[in-house]
Amino acid sequence: MNRLAEIAKLAGVSAATVSRTLNRPELVAERTRVRVMNAVQATGFRPNELARSLRQQGSRSIGLVVTDLNPFHATLVKAVQDTAEQNDLNVILFTSDDSESREREALLTLRSHMPQGLILIPTAHTRQHQKLLQGLTVVELDRESGLTGTHTVQAQNRQGALEAVRHLTALGHRNIGAIFGQLHISTARARFEGYVQALQEAGIAYDETLVRYGNDLEASGRAAALSLLAEAARRPTALFVSNHEMTVGAIIALRSLNLKIPRDLSLASFDDSRLMLLHEPPISVVAQPTYELGKRACEVLVRALEGGEPQHLRLEAPFIPRGSTAPP
Amino acid sequence: MNRLAEIAKLAGVSAATVSRTLNRPELVAERTRVRVMNAVQATGFRPNELARSLRQQGSRSIGLVVTDLNPFHATLVKAVQDTAEQNDLNVILFTSDDSESREREALLTLRSHMPQGLILIPTAHTRQHQKLLQGLTVVELDRESGLTGTHTVQAQNRQGALEAVRHLTALGHRNIGAIFGQLHISTARARFEGYVQALQEAGIAYDETLVRYGNDLEASGRAAALSLLAEAARRPTALFVSNHEMTVGAIIALRSLNLKIPRDLSLASFDDSRLMLLHEPPISVVAQPTYELGKRACEVLVRALEGGEPQHLRLEAPFIPRGSTAPP
DNA sequence: GTGAAAGCGCTAACAG
DNA sequence: CTGTTAGCGCTTTCAC
């Protein structure tokens, strides 16, 4: 006997009535409703979500695919999770590690769970997985893949980078090194454009020997910083690093070279954290509203599920000058 | 027509045969198998997990309930996630925030998804949720609740704290302040015991005015440190903080009091991170093998699902002395 | 080695 | 307002 039928027997009604009481109580007579609810309370009954989702052709779950699980992503996940819970949704989490196969696997697995929708940090491979997104409400978070029909929630990456590098040029820096992610990732591209624009505004020629590209992980930031400081024809007096993990790598590199911030090199970076704040000196950063990004992504998804046009949110990412940036 | 039936038609067999081909290919003739697999490949078919789980009375999912989602937990989650994926399991994530209602909600929701098992960071309320764990294979991670029949995977908390405080006494400290979590949490209790033992070994009387208790979050560490340094009858010359977030809070407190580490106060803490490593001076820590903890928890769960005695793993948490600890 | 049929636990039409 | 019935997509007997 299934659980629902048990309750039904206990309350002396049919299974359908129990189901109705739980899902559309207004259709049930008060007397009956009370009787059923008592039985439900007494047994601690919860309908089987699998059966319910199967029957309803859709679950109360949403997918969340992140590219990694560093502190930035953890905050995003927490925000999505909290917001989902408020909307009676639960989250199936995947990590793609920016890998094509893991992303595909995540999307395939997700689909087989009949999710309501999907919040996704897209990767370079997302476009080729377009078919797997068919029929799903998709919110792209943090980055954008260029796919049409999806919603997007991201920071004002270009503007943030622009302000950071403007700050450096205003301090008098002319040789400004920079480390970005791969330029086919929208965030890296936007931050790169902000960097270039700030140079232009200051009348500084763009010099490709001052720029390196990593993969957003710490090790690549370290390698990029070492390469930049060892090889650059003109040694930079300031460094702009476009994500948190690579900044950590850069800081480690600077220490190994025994360079003092900001005396030997000014450092400005993307993504605030307590590490950046407690560093000596504190690091000047572009502060993305991380929790807010995740929260809004989930809210956009919820609204989208109720129907509506694609939404495209861009949250402000203010630059916060701190002790790591000084005149050359 | 359901998807399975579609494949069946395409391959000219019955639905049952398609199902067999996917799940128990050895029962199917080679010729048929090839034909079915071709149809599956061609269409990119994935069986509906909901239907499958319902029919099989069990899903391929495991629950993961963490108390928070700070960097420590993020690493645990990633480890569990990675290991689960290798075992063809997927993870349903919940955050309890150490709250009774959120933990109960998580367990109720989880049950309705027919999970294989559960990895759980227990809270003070887990014991009263014992009924909700009935029939589930449970691995307690990081902490232990005292429930019987569960598996446990945790660090050697007492030993770690013991070594840290021994280090402080060896340096000559006699007034050693300490900040712990609530003592009914097993990790806090074990670390407290390590602290007390180290004092005993050094012939130092335990002084309760030197001890504070927080809730494992940053703000409480800050408050505890301020209280300790402002009010303690004998001002401590060293401070042991028993978790990462509270250590961050303590560091902030020390700065606000303009106390220099280790000149004015030695600091030793629990949980390594890049923040601790890059802090100036680097913080001496008890380094839990965080990723390993999550990985082993998942491995224990997988093994437990195949049957077997309750396992109780305790991983070493070595103390790493760094620049934040010095003679008084 | 394969197909027909039943059923996992639930919800939605349809009667009454 | 409530009960009966069918069926979501799959797997698993049970025959053949």
Side-chain angles (χ1 to χ4, degrees):
Chain A
M1 177 165 53
N2 64 40
R3 305 267 287 117
L4 219 182
E6 253 174 66
I7 307 296
K9 200 159 97 179
L10 243 166
V13 296
S14 73
T17 297
V18 178
S19 173
R20 269 190 220 103
T21 308
L22 261 21
N23 299 306
R24 329 184 69 226
E26 69 280 10
L27 298 182
V28 177
E30 164 117 29
R31 268 177 48 92
T32 320
R33 194 165 55 210
V34 170
R35 210 137 36 89
V36 172
M37 287 314 280
N38 283 341
V40 168
Q41 300 288 333
T43 55
F45 172 71
R46 266 279 177 118
N48 183 314
E49 272 297 334
L50 265 28
R52 164 186 241 258
S53 302
L54 180 60
R55 175 59 232 243
Q56 298 198 139
Q57 293 291 84
S59 70
R60 293 291 297 167
S61 304
I62 60 175
L64 174 59
V65 184
V66 294
T67 48
D68 191 8
L69 218 39
N70 68 36
F72 171 71
H73 299 106
T75 303
L76 290 180
V77 171
K78 185 154 170 51
V80 169
Q81 185 96 8
D82 290 349
T83 314
E85 185 169 324
Q86 285 164 27
N87 289 277
D88 193 26
L89 250 21
N90 65 302
V91 174
I92 311 182
L93 178 68
F94 301 88
T95 312
S96 69
D97 281 330
D98 267 316
S99 131
E100 202 228 302
S101 62
R102 291 196 72 175
E103 181 174 86
R104 188 180 49 236
E105 189 56 31
L107 295 176
L108 280 167
T109 303
L110 186 63
R111 287 185 71 95
S112 72
H113 285 262
M114 308 181 97
Q116 285 282 311
L118 168 62
I119 297 174
L120 168 72
I121 302 183
T123 70
H125 318 101
T126 301
R127 297 180 70 133
Q128 66 197 86
H129 294 147
Q130 182 163 21
K131 267 170 304 191
L132 296 177
L133 300 175
Q134 291 280 358
L136 277 179
T137 302
V138 177
V139 177
E140 297 190 328
L141 174 59
D142 183 39
R143 308 171 177 173
E144 62 184 348
S145 69
L147 285 170
T148 58
T150 66
H151 307 252
T152 56
V153 175
Q154 47 192 325
Q156 291 181 358
N157 290 299
R158 182 183 172 134
Q159 180 67 25
L162 176 62
E163 288 174 18
V165 181
R166 263 187 194 153
H167 168 78
L168 293 172
T169 59
L171 286 172
H173 291 278
R174 311 279 304 169
N175 290 343
I176 302 174
I179 301 173
F180 300 99
Q182 297 296 309
L183 289 192
H184 45 78
I185 308 272
S186 68
T187 43
R189 165 67 64 179
R191 295 169 195 180
F192 174 75
E193 290 171 356
Y195 166 76
V196 170
Q197 182 182 337
L199 294 184
Q200 265 174 354
E201 287 179 359
I204 301 171
Y206 170 73
D207 176 356
E208 66 175 18
T209 67
L210 288 177
V211 177
R212 295 291 184 283
Y213 306 94
N215 67 355
D216 285 355
L217 301 183
E218 176 185 313
S220 77
R222 189 170 151 276
L226 288 175
S227 147
L228 200 50
L229 295 170
E231 302 170 16
R234 336 179 269 178
R235 171 106 171 240
T237 58
L239 183 58
F240 173 63
V241 187
S242 96
N243 107 325
H244 185 274
E245 298 300 298
M246 294 198 297
T247 302
V248 173
I251 291 173
I252 294 173
L254 297 187
R255 295 218 179 163
S256 72
L257 294 174
N258 232 335
L259 296 177
K260 289 285 171 246
I261 302 170
R263 196 195 60 196
D264 302 321
L265 191 77
S266 281
L267 180 64
S269 91
F270 229 93
D271 295 344
D272 202 8
S273 74
R274 287 162 326 179
L275 191 160
M276 298 298 160
L277 189 63
L278 293 182
H279 189 271
E280 198 56 57
I283 308 291
S284 305
V285 297
V286 180
Q288 295 198 68
T290 313
Y291 189 92
E292 187 78 5
L293 279 168
K295 182 179 169 197
R296 299 296 280 282
C298 196
E299 289 172 353
V300 163
L301 180 56
V302 169
R303 208 160 317 141
L305 291 174
E306 295 160 353
E309 291 301 291
Q311 297 172 65
H312 299 283
L313 260 52
R314 290 192 155 274
L315 308 188
E316 281 186 22
F319 176 71
I320 304 176
R322 296 191 183 125
S324 70
T325 43
Chain B
M1 174 167 51
N2 63 41
R3 306 262 290 116
L4 219 181
E6 253 174 66
I7 306 297
K9 200 160 95 177
L10 242 166
V13 295
S14 73
T17 298
V18 177
S19 173
R20 272 192 214 101
T21 307
L22 261 22
N23 299 305
R24 329 185 66 224
E26 70 279 10
L27 297 182
V28 176
E30 163 120 31
R31 269 178 47 95
T32 320
R33 194 165 54 212
V34 171
R35 211 137 35 91
V36 172
M37 287 314 281
N38 283 342
V40 169
Q41 300 287 333
T43 55
F45 172 73
R46 267 279 177 117
N48 182 313
E49 273 298 333
L50 266 28
R52 166 186 240 259
S53 302
L54 180 59
R55 175 60 232 243
Q56 295 196 142
Q57 292 292 83
S59 71
R60 292 291 297 168
S61 303
I62 59 175
L64 175 58
V65 184
V66 294
T67 47
D68 191 8
L69 218 39
N70 68 34
F72 172 71
H73 299 106
T75 303
L76 290 180
V77 171
K78 185 156 169 53
V80 169
Q81 185 97 7
D82 289 350
T83 314
E85 183 169 325
Q86 283 164 27
N87 289 279
D88 194 25
L89 251 22
N90 64 301
V91 174
I92 311 183
L93 178 68
F94 301 89
T95 312
S96 70
D97 281 330
D98 266 316
S99 131
E100 201 227 303
S101 62
R102 291 197 71 176
E103 181 174 87
R104 187 180 50 237
E105 187 54 31
L107 295 176
L108 280 168
T109 303
L110 186 63
R111 286 184 72 94
S112 72
H113 285 262
M114 309 182 94
Q116 285 283 310
L118 167 62
I119 297 173
L120 168 74
I121 302 182
T123 70
H125 318 101
T126 301
R127 297 178 71 133
Q128 67 197 87
H129 294 148
Q130 182 163 21
K131 267 169 304 189
L132 296 177
L133 300 175
Q134 292 280 359
L136 276 180
T137 303
V138 177
V139 177
E140 296 188 332
L141 174 59
D142 182 38
R143 308 172 176 172
E144 62 185 347
S145 69
L147 249 31
T148 58
T150 67
H151 306 253
T152 56
V153 175
Q154 48 192 325
Q156 293 182 358
N157 290 300
R158 181 182 174 134
Q159 180 67 25
L162 176 61
E163 288 176 18
V165 181
R166 263 186 193 153
H167 168 79
L168 293 172
T169 58
L171 286 172
H173 292 278
R174 313 276 305 167
N175 291 343
I176 301 174
I179 302 173
F180 300 100
Q182 297 296 310
L183 290 191
H184 47 79
I185 306 272
S186 68
T187 44
R189 165 68 62 180
R191 294 169 195 180
F192 174 76
E193 290 170 356
Y195 166 77
V196 170
Q197 183 182 337
L199 293 184
Q200 265 174 355
E201 288 178 0
I204 301 172
Y206 171 73
D207 176 357
E208 67 175 16
T209 67
L210 288 176
V211 177
R212 294 292 183 284
Y213 306 93
N215 68 355
D216 285 356
L217 300 183
E218 177 185 313
S220 76
R222 188 170 152 276
L226 288 175
S227 146
L228 200 50
L229 296 170
E231 303 169 17
R234 339 179 268 180
R235 169 102 171 247
T237 58
L239 183 58
F240 173 63
V241 186
S242 96
N243 109 324
H244 185 273
E245 298 300 298
M246 294 197 298
T247 303
V248 172
I251 292 173
I252 293 173
L254 297 188
R255 293 216 179 165
S256 72
L257 296 174
N258 231 334
L259 297 176
K260 290 284 170 244
I261 304 169
R263 195 195 61 196
D264 303 319
L265 191 77
S266 281
L267 179 64
S269 91
F270 229 93
D271 296 345
D272 202 7
S273 73
R274 286 159 330 175
L275 191 160
M276 298 299 160
L277 189 62
L278 293 182
H279 189 271
E280 198 57 56
I283 309 291
S284 304
V285 297
V286 181
Q288 294 199 69
T290 314
Y291 189 92
E292 187 78 6
L293 279 168
K295 183 180 167 195
R296 299 296 279 282
C298 195
E299 289 172 351
V300 163
L301 179 57
V302 168
R303 208 161 317 140
L305 292 174
E306 295 160 353
E309 291 301 290
Q311 296 172 64
H312 299 282
L313 260 51
R314 290 191 154 273
L315 308 189
E316 282 185 24
F319 176 71
I320 305 176
R322 295 192 182 124
S324 70
T325 44

